[in-house]
């Protein structure tokens, strides 16, 4: 653990639920980090595997909650509140494996270099053996060049200005809390909402390409549909973000064209599947944007985050 003489104290915070076999690898790589956190905490939503036992063995503080009580924003804010006497809150998801021994050190360093940086996130690399579409997604969204973004960059980047990922991100705690913390009950995108508020308050977002984790998902077409349905819901419920930072449609088209080129170059025979994947995402998003047209049960069935709809009504 860090000492009182350390220049900056940070916590590592992880929401967990049945982390599975990758959890051992997560903890092994975490233990090898070149810098040690002041505290490491998980909030577990009812795991029935070894997640909690292994976390306790690794020195994590554990708070357990009912699965029905998990919320993307509120649970993360609770983790922030539990990380007392810390300057920086580092969030990881249970399947984000630190890729180098200095991954945490590189992410934390940006806060020491610039006191106007209030949010930083690292580069996500595909897991070993990841499939073509998942690999492209990481290469597209997480390039090898770092950058610092301010509110002025919205003229150049549009909605991409507030892109972030809590799979590996760090927040300046004092700023986060002063601006209201994480929104308590959003279907997703709590990091995007916070990023927007930080930029509007005059702070900076850092993308730190040198800080790396392995993190990727293999989704079925049905899962892609559901995930993008929820993205559409998020954009509709937070329409002010599109008004303030611009529409995300242009970035979506750029992504599709990039994926097509990548598939043709690397595994052209999966191009038909890639096109079906694009269609599933597009249809899911468009229906998500219009989610208020549908009954509550229909919306819940189309959504990936069904527990959200158990708490709210259209």
């Amino acid at each position: 653990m860090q000492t009182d003489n350390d220049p900056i104290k940070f916590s590592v915070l992880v929401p967990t639920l049945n982390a599975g076999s990758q959890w051992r690898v997560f903890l092994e790589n975490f233990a090898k980090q070149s810098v040690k956190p002041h505290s490491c905490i998980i909030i577990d939503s009812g795991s029935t595997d070894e997640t909690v036992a292994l976390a306790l063995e690794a020195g994590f503080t554990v708070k357990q909650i009912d699965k029905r009580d998990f919320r993307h924003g509120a649970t993360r804010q609770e983790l922030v509140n539990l990380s007392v006497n810390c300057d920086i809150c580092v969030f990881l998801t249970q399947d984000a494996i630190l890729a180098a021994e200095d991954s945490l050190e590189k992410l934390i360093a940006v806060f020491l270099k610039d006191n106007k940086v209030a949010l930083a996130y690292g580069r996500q690399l595909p897991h070993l053996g990841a499939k073509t579409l998942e690999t492209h997604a990481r290469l597209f969204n997480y390039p090898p060049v770092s950058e610092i973004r301010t509110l002025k960059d919205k003229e150049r980047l549009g909605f991409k200005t507030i892109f972030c990922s809590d799979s590996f991100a760090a927040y300046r705690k004092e700023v986060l809390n002063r601006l209201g913390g994480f929104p308590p009950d959003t279907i997703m995108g709590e990091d995007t909402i916070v990023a927007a508020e930080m930029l509007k308050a005059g702070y900076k977002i850092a993308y730190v390409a040198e800080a790396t984790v392995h993190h990727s998902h293999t989704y079925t077409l049905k899962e892609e549909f559901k995930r993008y349905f929820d993205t559409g819901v998020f954009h509709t419920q937070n329409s002010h973000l599109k008004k303030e930072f611009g529409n995300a449609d242009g970035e979506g088209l750029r992504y599709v064209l990039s994926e097509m080129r990548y598939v043709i170059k690397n595994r052209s025979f999966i191009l038909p599947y890639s096109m079906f994947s694009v269609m599933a995402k597009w249809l899911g998003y468009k229906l998500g944007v219009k989610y208020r047209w549908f009954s509550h049960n229909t919306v819940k069935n189309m959504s990936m985050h069904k527990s959200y709809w158990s708490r709210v009504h259209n």
Side-chain angles (χ1 to χ4, degrees):
M1 296 295 177
Q2 292 183 317
T3 69
D4 291 338
N5 296 321
D6 291 326
I8 194 166
K9 292 181 180 180
F10 71 97
S11 57
V12 170
L13 311 173
V14 191
T16 61
L17 172 62
N18 291 329
S21 59
Q22 282 190 322
W23 187 232
R24 288 184 181 274
V25 182
F26 177 105
L27 294 172
E28 289 170 3
N29 287 27
F30 172 72
K32 297 174 184 176
Q33 290 300 294
S34 57
V35 292
K36 303 302 179 184
H38 180 72
S39 60
C40 43
I41 309 167
I42 72 169
I43 289 182
D44 185 81
S45 306
S47 289
T48 55
D49 63 2
E50 293 184 303
T51 299
V52 170
L54 291 174
L56 289 169
E57 186 179 308
F60 277 73
T61 298
V62 175
K63 178 171 183 178
Q64 294 177 284
I65 62 173
D66 191 281
K67 184 177 181 180
R68 293 170 296 181
D69 294 330
F70 173 82
R71 302 183 185 187
H72 284 281
T75 301
R76 283 175 169 80
Q77 186 58 42
E78 189 171 1
L79 280 164
V80 171
N81 297 341
L82 290 171
S83 59
V84 296
N85 299 322
C86 287
D87 305 301
I88 305 297
C89 295
V90 179
F91 279 90
L92 285 157
T93 50
Q94 64 189 28
D95 58 346
I97 310 299
L98 294 160
E101 293 184 2
D102 62 355
S103 289
L104 287 177
E105 182 179 357
K106 291 286 179 63
L107 189 67
I108 295 299
V110 70
F111 293 95
L112 294 168
K113 295 175 183 176
D114 189 340
N115 62 14
K116 294 298 287 183
V117 169
L119 165 57
Y121 66 101
R123 188 182 186 194
Q124 294 185 28
L125 305 171
H127 283 300
L128 299 178
K131 294 183 178 180
T132 305
L133 300 188
E134 291 74 44
T135 298
H136 168 263
R138 293 302 175 265
L139 296 176
F140 181 88
N141 288 317
Y142 302 94
V145 180
S146 299
E147 67 174 5
I148 303 290
R149 301 197 295 268
T150 68
L151 187 61
K152 293 180 180 179
D153 287 305
K154 72 177 184 178
E155 304 302 324
R156 174 175 63 93
L157 297 172
F159 202 86
K160 188 79 170 179
T161 314
I162 53 176
F163 178 81
C164 179
S165 172
D166 271 344
S167 288
F168 185 35
Y171 298 82
R172 200 178 291 274
K173 183 182 176 183
E174 184 275 328
V175 176
L176 174 64
N177 284 338
R178 179 157 45 82
L179 295 177
F182 288 104
D185 200 12
T186 179
I187 191 169
M188 61 185 300
E190 68 285 342
D191 46 1
T192 300
I193 293 171
V194 169
E197 292 303 312
M198 287 180 165
L199 289 182
K200 290 189 291 183
Y203 291 96
K204 301 176 183 178
I205 296 173
Y207 168 57
V208 188
E210 298 78 19
T212 54
V213 293
H214 287 286
H215 180 249
S216 56
H217 293 281
T218 300
Y219 291 115
T220 64
L221 294 179
K222 183 178 180 179
E223 288 170 336
E224 291 283 27
F225 171 91
K226 290 175 175 286
R227 191 164 65 99
Y228 274 78
F229 178 86
D230 289 349
T231 302
V233 171
F234 170 77
H235 284 171
T236 294
Q237 292 181 340
N238 298 276
S239 57
H240 65 282
L241 294 178
K242 294 171 72 173
K243 293 177 183 177
E244 293 167 348
F245 291 92
N247 202 302
D249 290 351
E251 184 68 9
L253 178 59
R254 195 168 74 88
Y255 179 90
V256 170
L257 295 175
S258 174
E259 179 177 286
M260 294 297 182
R261 289 192 294 268
Y262 185 83
V263 168
I264 290 171
K265 180 179 179 181
N266 291 278
R267 299 192 71 179
S268 58
F269 67 90
I270 71 163
L271 186 59
Y273 182 86
S274 172
M275 295 176 68
F276 279 118
S277 175
V278 168
M279 291 172 61
K281 293 172 184 174
W282 178 85
L283 181 59
Y285 181 79
K286 290 299 183 181
L287 293 178
V289 167
K290 303 296 185 183
Y291 79 97
R292 292 191 178 98
W293 290 7
F294 306 103
S295 70
H296 183 78
N297 285 339
T298 299
V299 168
K300 189 173 182 179
N301 287 332
M302 288 193 287
S303 174
M304 180 171 277
H305 299 102
K306 297 186 185 304
S307 61
Y308 172 79
W309 300 105
S310 298
R311 299 189 297 271
V312 301
H313 297 282
N314 285 8

